[in-house]
Amino acid sequence: MEVLILVLSFIILIAIGVPIAWSIGISSICTMLVSIPTISAFTTVAQRMATGLDSFSLLAIPFFVLAGEIMNRGGIARRLVAFAKSLVGSLPGGLAHVNIVAAMMFGAIAGSAVAAVSALGSMLGKEMEAEGYSKEFSVAVNVTASTTGLVIPPSNILIVYSLASGGVSIAALFLAGYVPGIITGLLLMITAAIWSKFRKFPSGERTKLSVVFRTFIDAFPSLLLLVVVIGGIVVGIFTATEASAVAVLYCLILSFAYKEVTVKNLPQIFLNSVLTTAIVLLLIGTSMSMSWIMAYENIPQNITEFMLSISNNKFVILFIINMLLLFVGVFMDMTPAVLIFTPIFLPVVTNLGMDPTHFGIVMVLNLCIGLCTPPVGSVLFVGVGVAGTTIQKVIKPLLPLFIAMLISLMLVTYIPELSLWLPRLFGF
């Protein structure tokens, strides 16, 4: 009965348009009311929300959000695009490759797919159209490429997974994301090249080595942030939370040095960061209450037993989980999906001998696809809005890029070393 109430109330609330954070919280309370008295139910949910947010590692999220907001306003995207253009602009479908490489670099620095799709779409969209690319193809490339920054660190969603999983090392997750993120980017580039050849989109002129060097020097301070943040965490100079604060300070200094941000811009930057952080943390709080209720009702254990009764073959179970997560990603945003389904699926895969770090990368990579699909694909909606087109027109060029992302997902799922060799190299 409790499980039925939890699932049905959540689905009904989502279906009638209640915001997902409120849907999670209300369905949690409804479920608790069946088991315990009213006052105790409300008190327990509130207590679990507060306890779920009482985590030092969660401080990294508002700091990384603030760092991303500063970078988005600080001229960093423009410098990264110029560097990417000098590297890959001469390849078939040159500007498509520029978009993908710039998205990988910008997303990795800012840790936000929405920030990347907005910044790069407004910068490269009109330029791609002017050179003969279709608007829909440029949107499709921008949308799919922007998700790579959620796998390549620093990434807020990997911090959320660390919390939901019960303490998987954030440093290990950060290191594990590099190779899968780069593989996804490379597969997107191959697909974009084939599509560009088929559609006879233009290639750019070969860039002189002196131009490559000049754009690299201009972008180097921005790229150095990755070395400072990830290097500091891996070497042990500071924790992921402390690294996020260092990132904010570094971005502020860099943006002031570029003269792209002034003191007058700071209140709006802080306000935007607070709004984003509030949404994320409310989702985390309500999701932690739902996770506790699921544990109280033994839902993860029951699902583990059920799935293992279907098959004890690791490959079959991973395929089923991937299909379920792909379905979930179509209707649910990434943060609540990670918080709700990690406690459900993690016991299943660990029973099969899968490393929790590996599963975290698989889960995030899987849900990145959901960000590009309607009806809840936030990155897709932003990309379409920036370009001034419709989702229906973008679907056709999106399909081959979806296939590239699915191939990447399958490779990362079934070849664990793609995720784990780098963390193991550094002793995690």
Side-chain angles (χ1 to χ4, degrees), residues 389-411:
T389 185
T390 63
I391 292 174
Q392 290 82 356
K393 292 179 180 178
V394 175
I395 291 299
K396 186 177 179 180
L398 262 179
L399 290 177
L401 295 166
F402 276 150
I403 293 171
M405 295 179 79
L406 287 170
I407 292 171
S408 174
L409 174 63
M410 292 299 109
L411 288 172

Side-chain angles (χ1 to χ4, degrees), residues 4 58 142 180 274 322 365 371 393 401:
L4 192 62
L58 280 182
N142 187 28
V274 168
N322 269 327
L365 195 60
L371 295 177
K393 292 179 180 178
L401 295 166

Side-chain angles (χ1 to χ4, degrees), residues 294-356:
M294 289 192 295
Y296 181 77
E297 299 296 343
N298 291 320
I299 295 174
Q301 292 88 331
N302 294 334
I303 291 177
T304 300
E305 291 175 7
F306 172 72
M307 294 193 75
L308 292 178
S309 69
I310 296 174
S311 173
N312 59 1
N313 186 305
K314 181 178 178 179
F315 298 104
V316 173
I317 295 296
L318 286 176
F319 180 79
I320 293 171
I321 290 175
N322 269 327
M323 292 303 102
L324 290 171
L325 287 175
L326 286 170
F327 178 76
V328 166
V330 172
F331 300 100
M332 189 180 291
D333 199 30
M334 181 177 278
T335 300
V338 168
L339 288 162
I340 292 171
F341 291 96
T342 297
I344 293 175
F345 291 138
L346 189 58
V348 178
V349 297
T350 50
N351 265 304
L352 295 170
M354 187 176 188
D355 190 289

